[in-house]
Structure formats: structure tokens, C-alpha cells
Amino acid sequence: MPEVLWKSYIDFEIEQEEYENTRNLYRRLLQRTQHVKVWISFAQFELSAGRDDSVSRCRQIYEEANKTMRNCEEKEERLMLLESWRNFEEEFGTESSKERVDKLMPEKVKKRRKLQAEDGSDAGWEEYYDYIFPEDAANQPNLKLLAMAKLWKKQQQDDNPERDPDKDIDESSP
């Protein structure tokens, strides 16, 4: 319910063309919640405000949101923000700004985790998708080692395509 009230108040200020009040409302709301939809709505407001510097203001909001959401545990929300930013840059940005946002996009990785039943016994394995952001990957040396191992494996397969390193048995012998 409070979200509806905030949204109505923001819409009212936009209708009245009180853009500075609207910005203040967004800032106050962002002090209370860092929800991705608020950030995206704020960026879209800046774009639609009709000022000469609306594109740069919108980009500034996206940059601030990305900086703030780096500490957020919700990776899907951060991905939503980056996808919205990328769509904005595709429409209004330059090649360099598009590349900059593309470099921030995460890598989608399939992972497995062990499941436990309510009684504590093993219930099998669950596969899920995780996102690894470039800034996060730079802070974790294990991921760099893993990436180098994957690259080495790919090079081995490219050099010797008929041999599959994952197989223990040589199928070519009688």
C-alpha cells in the first residue's frame, strides 16, 4: 500500500510539472528502499522530463543505481537494471557508452547445490543459474583460475578435436 501512495504522489508532481519536487520525492523514496523498479522509474522520469540534459541525467541515475546495487545480494534485480540501462544506451547512447554497459553485463553460469530434506537427510541436487558480474569476478581470484582452466580445456579440444578429455575410456581401441 505505501508503494501506491508514493507512486501517486510522484505522478501528481509530474502532472503539476514540479520536476524538482519529483526528484526530491524519488531521492526520499530511495533512502527508504533501494528497489530496482524505483531506480528504473527515476531514470525514465529524468529521460521524459524534457530538458536539454535529460539523457545525461538519465545516464547519471543509471550509474548511481549500478554503484548502489553492487552491494545488493539480489543479482536478478541488478541484471534488470543493467538490461534497462542497455536498452536506454541502444536508443540514446554512443558506441562507447553501449560498450561500457555491455562490459558490465554478467555471465550466466549454471551451478549445482545439495538439497536437504526437512529431517536433515540428503534430498539430491538442484541446478540453478547464477550471474557473475565482471566487478565481482575481479574481486574473486578463484573465478579467474576457473576461467583460465576452461580456456585451457577449450584449447586442448581445439588442438586435438578427436580426443574428448572428459572420457576415461579410449573408444577407438578394440
Side-chain angles (χ1 to χ4, degrees), residues 46-150:
E46 286 294 356
L47 188 62
S48 67
R51 293 181 47 159
D52 294 337
D53 61 343
S54 63
V55 171
S56 64
R57 279 179 174 258
C58 181
R59 186 174 291 122
Q60 189 176 6
I61 297 298
Y62 277 121
E63 288 172 359
E64 184 181 343
N66 185 48
K67 229 179 258 183
T68 303
M69 294 195 76
R70 280 183 188 162
N71 303 328
C72 178
E73 292 296 319
E74 297 297 324
K75 293 182 178 186
E76 287 83 10
E77 287 186 3
R78 190 170 168 200
L79 178 64
M80 279 177 52
L81 177 80
L82 289 174
E83 286 173 344
S84 175
W85 189 5
R86 183 172 57 186
N87 293 340
F88 161 76
E89 292 296 350
E90 284 175 3
E91 191 171 342
F92 299 101
T94 62
E95 282 300 316
S96 63
S97 64
K98 289 178 197 174
E99 286 176 14
R100 188 166 154 251
V101 174
D102 281 338
K103 287 180 184 175
L104 296 173
M105 294 303 286
E107 179 183 353
K108 187 176 182 179
V109 178
K110 187 189 284 190
K111 290 186 173 183
R112 290 176 49 174
R113 61 181 158 219
K114 209 172 202 177
L115 292 177
Q116 288 188 339
E118 290 178 16
D119 62 356
S121 62
D122 288 341
W125 291 88
E126 172 190 37
E127 287 187 349
Y128 67 99
Y129 287 100
D130 194 15
Y131 298 99
I132 299 175
F133 292 87
E135 298 106 5
D136 298 345
N139 296 335
Q140 296 179 355
N142 309 10
L143 296 176
K144 187 174 181 181
L145 179 65
L146 184 62
M148 289 172 46
K150 284 183 180 178

Side-chain angles (χ1 to χ4, degrees), residues 5-47:
L5 187 61
W6 277 98
K7 181 68 176 140
S8 298
Y9 193 9
I10 288 171
D11 290 343
F12 172 77
E13 291 294 351
I14 292 172
E15 252 179 57
Q16 298 300 312
E17 296 182 6
E18 293 289 340
Y19 298 134
E20 204 53 47
N21 289 350
T22 307
R23 284 185 191 91
N24 291 336
L25 280 173
Y26 271 115
R27 292 287 175 199
R28 285 176 48 199
L29 181 56
L30 286 169
Q31 286 174 352
R32 297 180 191 285
T33 178
Q34 294 291 319
H35 198 275
V36 67
K37 289 184 178 182
V38 177
W39 282 110
I40 292 171
S41 176
F42 189 16
Q44 290 171 346
F45 157 73
E46 286 294 356
L47 188 62

